[in-house]
Amino acid sequence: TKALYARLFEESIFDWAHEGNDQLSRILLRIFYRLNAFHFAQITGDILGNLYERFLDPASRKEMGEFYTPEFVVDYILEAIGFKKEPGAILDPACGSGTFLFRAIELAIQSFREKGIHYRDAIEQAVKLVHGLDVNIFAAFIAQLQVIWHLFPHLRAAGVTQIPELKIYGGLDSLESGIPTTLEHYLRIPREDSARTIRDARYRYVVGNPPYIRAERLKVPTRWSEYYKKVATGKKDVSYYFLCRTIEGGDHPTGAIPPWLEDDGKMSYIVSFGLADSKAALALRRLLLQYRMLELVDLEPLSNEVFTSG
């Protein structure tokens, strides 16, 4: 309910759903009626992420470079970068349905409890560490629901009756910096200052599965190629900009775009195999080779089973 977590009920671009002939409302009521037949107490995993992947238009998701990230891949990454053992401030700048976010919170709670921290404090500290952004406001809405869903068992076990404030925001261009954009204004993003603070902060860990899409295929004009000139060569991919900003930041008309990663931080991204051999990624590869690489994992043999688009 709104009393438990008000942000899910704030105005957004999807408020058009309240207008019209009430047909959508009747459909939603029927869906909830059907859901009442099931017992969800023992259901775990990325339930909403699977729904997001399966039922939203596959062609649109592919066009936007959106691919669902399996939970076992997320767990492998969070353990490989050291987050599971030593939780710290973490950002997923293209969080999608929130798999990295809810798994990071669950692993942080587990780690804190193993260190003797009280259950309530473990939950509070874990939630404060995790940050998520996505330009798709609906994806961020799903991500909030995902995190809340997975927090419920912990909140009940710890006797907590209020859902903590989540640091997850949608409609915000992660690759921008500083001043508001037209998109932000149009979507009437709640708590815009908090969202921008998250976007321009630095983190111990940065993870994610950024969109794979060639920049020239974008239908919405951006200035990313100007902000991240170091890697904006040839048929560049949008994911290159995410890697560039993570480790070095960029240049904005109003000033330097800060990198997301702290000086001693770690990042781990799922990227297209083209980064390893394409001419367009040569500048990015040279940039990456200036830093210490701990591990490269080839998921291409599993791509059809792991990263589906329809």
Side-chain angles (χ1 to χ4, degrees):
T1 66
K2 187 172 182 179
L4 290 176
Y5 197 71
R7 273 182 57 194
L8 293 178
F9 298 88
E10 290 175 332
E11 290 185 356
S12 76
I13 191 173
F14 293 102
D15 285 348
W16 59 265
H18 299 293
E19 302 173 359
N21 59 7
D22 293 330
Q23 183 177 357
L24 180 59
S25 296
R26 289 195 295 270
I27 292 173
L28 290 173
L29 284 174
R30 289 182 62 186
I31 291 173
F32 285 119
Y33 178 78
R34 294 286 187 181
L35 289 175
N36 281 331
F38 298 92
H39 181 57
F40 291 95
Q42 302 302 319
I43 294 178
T44 60
D46 193 347
I47 304 300
L48 296 178
N50 278 281
L51 291 174
Y52 181 79
E53 170 79 3
R54 182 172 180 182
F55 293 108
L56 289 189
D57 178 35
S60 297
R61 285 190 292 101
K62 188 172 183 179
E63 186 175 281
M64 295 178 66
E66 294 182 345
F67 292 89
Y68 166 74
T69 311
E71 193 172 329
F72 74 89
V73 175
V74 170
D75 286 354
Y76 181 88
I77 288 174
L78 291 175
E79 183 170 4
I81 63 175
F83 180 88
K84 181 177 180 180
K85 184 178 180 180
E86 292 293 336
I90 186 169
L91 170 71
D92 182 348
C95 67
S97 61
T99 313
F100 276 99
L101 306 182
F102 79 75
R103 285 304 296 154
I105 287 177
E106 291 188 319
L107 292 175
I109 291 174
Q110 177 184 338
S111 177
F112 291 147
R113 293 197 70 199
E114 289 173 353
K115 294 174 182 177
I117 296 176
H118 189 275
Y119 207 162
R120 289 192 177 197
D121 294 333
I123 295 171
E124 181 180 355
Q125 291 182 35
V127 170
K128 286 182 177 179
L129 289 178
V130 177
H131 307 75
L133 297 172
D134 201 287
V135 71
N136 186 330
I137 196 168
F138 182 61
F141 182 86
I142 294 294
Q144 290 184 65
L145 289 176
Q146 282 268 57
V147 172
I148 291 171
W149 180 292
H150 289 84
L151 273 176
F152 274 147
H154 297 289
L155 297 174
R156 180 162 58 179
V160 178
T161 58
Q162 192 70 29
I163 299 172
E165 185 76 13
L166 305 178
K167 299 178 181 180
I168 305 171
Y169 295 89
L172 195 74
D173 184 347
S174 298
L175 297 173
E176 273 283 354
S177 182
I179 61 173
T181 65
T182 302
L183 179 62
E184 292 174 59
H185 176 73
Y186 176 68
L187 295 177
R188 304 189 303 279
I189 297 173
R191 298 170 178 80
E192 289 184 4
D193 290 341
S194 297
R196 291 192 206 98
T197 298
I198 289 172
R199 182 180 60 187
D200 294 335
R202 303 186 72 176
Y203 301 87
R204 184 175 178 184
Y205 305 105
V206 181
V207 295
N209 186 1
Y212 318 144
I213 179 173
R214 287 184 180 175
E216 65 269 19
R217 293 182 179 175
L218 290 173
K219 293 184 177 180
V220 178
T222 72
R223 296 181 64 182
W224 297 338
S225 60
E226 298 177 31
Y227 301 160
Y228 308 100
K229 292 180 181 178
K230 292 181 181 179
V231 299
T233 58
K235 296 181 179 179
K236 60 274 185 188
D237 191 289
V238 170
S239 63
Y240 300 176
Y241 301 143
F242 281 87
L243 272 71
C244 183
R245 168 149 195 184
T246 300
I247 55 179
E248 293 223 342
D251 297 304
H252 193 278
T254 61
I257 297 176
W260 284 319
L261 204 62
E262 295 177 350
D263 292 338
D264 58 347
K266 295 179 181 179
M267 77 170 183
S268 182
Y269 279 120
I270 300 167
V271 296
S272 167
F273 195 73
L275 188 148
D277 59 5
S278 73
K279 292 182 180 179
L282 179 59
L284 177 58
R285 288 197 297 273
R286 287 174 174 168
L287 178 63
L288 293 173
L289 287 173
Q290 298 177 34
Y291 297 85
R292 184 183 178 192
M293 289 192 184
L294 300 177
E295 185 176 13
L296 294 173
V297 179
D298 181 9
L299 293 174
E300 189 172 26
L302 300 174
S303 59
N304 290 334
E305 293 76 20
V306 176
F307 301 110
T308 60
S309 59

